[in-house]
Amino acid sequence: MKEEERLLIEVKDAFGIIRVIEMGAYRFLEFGDAVEQSCVFMSDPSWLEYDYTRAMLLGGLCHAAPETALFLGLGAGSLPQACLRFLPLEDVEIIELRRDVLRLSQDLLGFRDDPRLTLRIGDATALLASAESADLIFIDLYTDNGPSAEHLAWTFLEQCRDKLNFGGWLVINQWATRDGQPLGAALLRGLFLRHYWECPVREGNVVLLVPADLDQALDFAALQSRADALAPLLGYSLDELIRSLRPAS
């Protein structure tokens, strides 16, 4: 029997409608006309329910020992909380466009403050230049109409990669086209010179794992070892996602 949905709050800002919906043990952040942005298991807000968020966490494991991370887009905050909990991060910065997204994530979606965390409200394209460089950069910038323009903006994506420290990784949550390629595949191939890996997931997204430079390869054996060590703490396995990794389309 399907759980009944309950609207907890609906607010409107300059960019449109934001809702928080409750269904059983889960709460959902929605934009616009019931477009789901994030899912939170309220008993453990660091639990990653969807494969695309697990694939992004897997991207964080590409780095042997990340100390710094930059998140462009907060959503409900489950991915940053998972990374703060399960990766050896010492300094994390989050840039979120909408102040009400931050407020609702804190008030209703279990997003907790952390002494390692810096939060800034504003447009990522405007604030990126003043962000600190990082070992990991996560891009998850979605509106109620789908990926924001930044997901396919050559200059912005180039600037994100340039913000990576030596040995760093850029992790991008991208929509997939009907043939399973990431949206904007031709642009991505040109910008990153086909030197990245893709992780297609069941929600219809492709998570891109982009190294800081062309001399940097993905160490599959080390990635598997880190995922195996983390699995008992996560409560789920990342093996299926590792098996799905492929070179650039």
PDB file of all heavy atoms in Angstrom, residues 50 98 117 127 178 187 198 222 238:
ATOM      1  N   TYR A  50      19.092   7.335  -3.577  1.00  0.00           N
ATOM      2  CA  TYR A  50      19.095   7.172  -5.032  1.00  0.00           C
ATOM      3  C   TYR A  50      20.487   6.855  -5.564  1.00  0.00           C
ATOM      4  O   TYR A  50      21.503   7.300  -5.017  1.00  0.00           O
ATOM      5  CB  TYR A  50      18.555   8.420  -5.701  1.00  0.00           C
ATOM      6  CG  TYR A  50      17.084   8.667  -5.446  1.00  0.00           C
ATOM      7  CD1 TYR A  50      16.574   9.955  -5.397  1.00  0.00           C
ATOM      8  CD2 TYR A  50      16.197   7.614  -5.266  1.00  0.00           C
ATOM      9  CE1 TYR A  50      15.215  10.199  -5.180  1.00  0.00           C
ATOM     10  CE2 TYR A  50      14.850   7.833  -5.041  1.00  0.00           C
ATOM     11  CZ  TYR A  50      14.368   9.121  -4.999  1.00  0.00           C
ATOM     12  OH  TYR A  50      13.037   9.335  -4.773  1.00  0.00           O
ATOM     13  N   ARG A  98      19.481  29.439  -3.730  1.00  0.00           N
ATOM     14  CA  ARG A  98      18.218  29.849  -3.113  1.00  0.00           C
ATOM     15  C   ARG A  98      18.290  29.745  -1.590  1.00  0.00           C
ATOM     16  O   ARG A  98      18.458  28.669  -1.031  1.00  0.00           O
ATOM     17  CB  ARG A  98      17.086  28.981  -3.671  1.00  0.00           C
ATOM     18  CG  ARG A  98      17.030  29.025  -5.172  1.00  0.00           C
ATOM     19  CD  ARG A  98      16.076  28.007  -5.781  1.00  0.00           C
ATOM     20  NE  ARG A  98      14.683  28.386  -5.623  1.00  0.00           N
ATOM     21  CZ  ARG A  98      13.677  27.780  -6.270  1.00  0.00           C
ATOM     22  NH1 ARG A  98      13.931  26.766  -7.080  1.00  0.00           N
ATOM     23  NH2 ARG A  98      12.433  28.185  -6.088  1.00  0.00           N
ATOM     24  N   LEU A 117      32.145  23.157   7.799  1.00  0.00           N
ATOM     25  CA  LEU A 117      31.279  23.567   6.703  1.00  0.00           C
ATOM     26  C   LEU A 117      31.165  25.080   6.591  1.00  0.00           C
ATOM     27  O   LEU A 117      30.965  25.777   7.573  1.00  0.00           O
ATOM     28  CB  LEU A 117      29.893  22.958   6.925  1.00  0.00           C
ATOM     29  CG  LEU A 117      28.846  23.071   5.836  1.00  0.00           C
ATOM     30  CD1 LEU A 117      29.331  22.451   4.536  1.00  0.00           C
ATOM     31  CD2 LEU A 117      27.566  22.377   6.307  1.00  0.00           C
ATOM     32  N   LEU A 127      30.020  33.250  -7.789  1.00  0.00           N
ATOM     33  CA  LEU A 127      30.788  32.996  -6.570  1.00  0.00           C
ATOM     34  C   LEU A 127      31.946  32.023  -6.768  1.00  0.00           C
ATOM     35  O   LEU A 127      32.805  31.910  -5.888  1.00  0.00           O
ATOM     36  CB  LEU A 127      29.864  32.464  -5.474  1.00  0.00           C
ATOM     37  CG  LEU A 127      28.784  33.427  -4.970  1.00  0.00           C
ATOM     38  CD1 LEU A 127      27.943  32.765  -3.887  1.00  0.00           C
ATOM     39  CD2 LEU A 127      29.400  34.717  -4.449  1.00  0.00           C
ATOM     40  N   ARG A 178      18.236   9.945 -24.698  1.00  0.00           N
ATOM     41  CA  ARG A 178      17.550   8.673 -24.931  1.00  0.00           C
ATOM     42  C   ARG A 178      18.515   7.545 -25.279  1.00  0.00           C
ATOM     43  O   ARG A 178      18.212   6.376 -25.045  1.00  0.00           O
ATOM     44  CB  ARG A 178      16.525   8.833 -26.062  1.00  0.00           C
ATOM     45  CG  ARG A 178      15.322   9.674 -25.654  1.00  0.00           C
ATOM     46  CD  ARG A 178      14.288   9.732 -26.748  1.00  0.00           C
ATOM     47  NE  ARG A 178      13.124  10.501 -26.357  1.00  0.00           N
ATOM     48  CZ  ARG A 178      12.074  10.720 -27.142  1.00  0.00           C
ATOM     49  NH1 ARG A 178      12.065  10.219 -28.375  1.00  0.00           N
ATOM     50  NH2 ARG A 178      11.050  11.423 -26.711  1.00  0.00           N
ATOM     51  N   LEU A 187      29.964  18.489 -26.360  1.00  0.00           N
ATOM     52  CA  LEU A 187      30.668  19.563 -25.656  1.00  0.00           C
ATOM     53  C   LEU A 187      31.601  18.986 -24.603  1.00  0.00           C
ATOM     54  O   LEU A 187      32.750  19.414 -24.472  1.00  0.00           O
ATOM     55  CB  LEU A 187      29.655  20.514 -25.020  1.00  0.00           C
ATOM     56  CG  LEU A 187      30.218  21.679 -24.195  1.00  0.00           C
ATOM     57  CD1 LEU A 187      29.342  22.912 -24.340  1.00  0.00           C
ATOM     58  CD2 LEU A 187      30.320  21.324 -22.709  1.00  0.00           C
ATOM     59  N   GLU A 198      32.162   7.777 -17.054  1.00  0.00           N
ATOM     60  CA  GLU A 198      30.726   7.971 -16.885  1.00  0.00           C
ATOM     61  C   GLU A 198      30.145   6.845 -16.040  1.00  0.00           C
ATOM     62  O   GLU A 198      30.546   5.681 -16.170  1.00  0.00           O
ATOM     63  CB  GLU A 198      30.031   7.975 -18.244  1.00  0.00           C
ATOM     64  CG  GLU A 198      30.500   9.074 -19.173  1.00  0.00           C
ATOM     65  CD  GLU A 198      29.906   8.983 -20.559  1.00  0.00           C
ATOM     66  OE1 GLU A 198      29.185   7.995 -20.849  1.00  0.00           O
ATOM     67  OE2 GLU A 198      30.161   9.902 -21.360  1.00  0.00           O
ATOM     68  N   ALA A 222      42.024   0.569  -6.647  1.00  0.00           N
ATOM     69  CA  ALA A 222      41.978   1.377  -5.431  1.00  0.00           C
ATOM     70  C   ALA A 222      40.553   1.829  -5.132  1.00  0.00           C
ATOM     71  O   ALA A 222      40.124   1.856  -3.971  1.00  0.00           O
ATOM     72  CB  ALA A 222      42.898   2.582  -5.573  1.00  0.00           C
ATOM     73  N   LEU A 238      28.530  -0.344  -3.361  1.00  0.00           N
ATOM     74  CA  LEU A 238      28.729   0.478  -4.559  1.00  0.00           C
ATOM     75  C   LEU A 238      29.234  -0.360  -5.733  1.00  0.00           C
ATOM     76  O   LEU A 238      29.570   0.184  -6.787  1.00  0.00           O
ATOM     77  CB  LEU A 238      29.728   1.602  -4.258  1.00  0.00           C
ATOM     78  CG  LEU A 238      29.317   2.585  -3.148  1.00  0.00           C
ATOM     79  CD1 LEU A 238      30.466   3.547  -2.845  1.00  0.00           C
ATOM     80  CD2 LEU A 238      28.059   3.360  -3.526  1.00  0.00           C
TER      81      LEU A 238
END
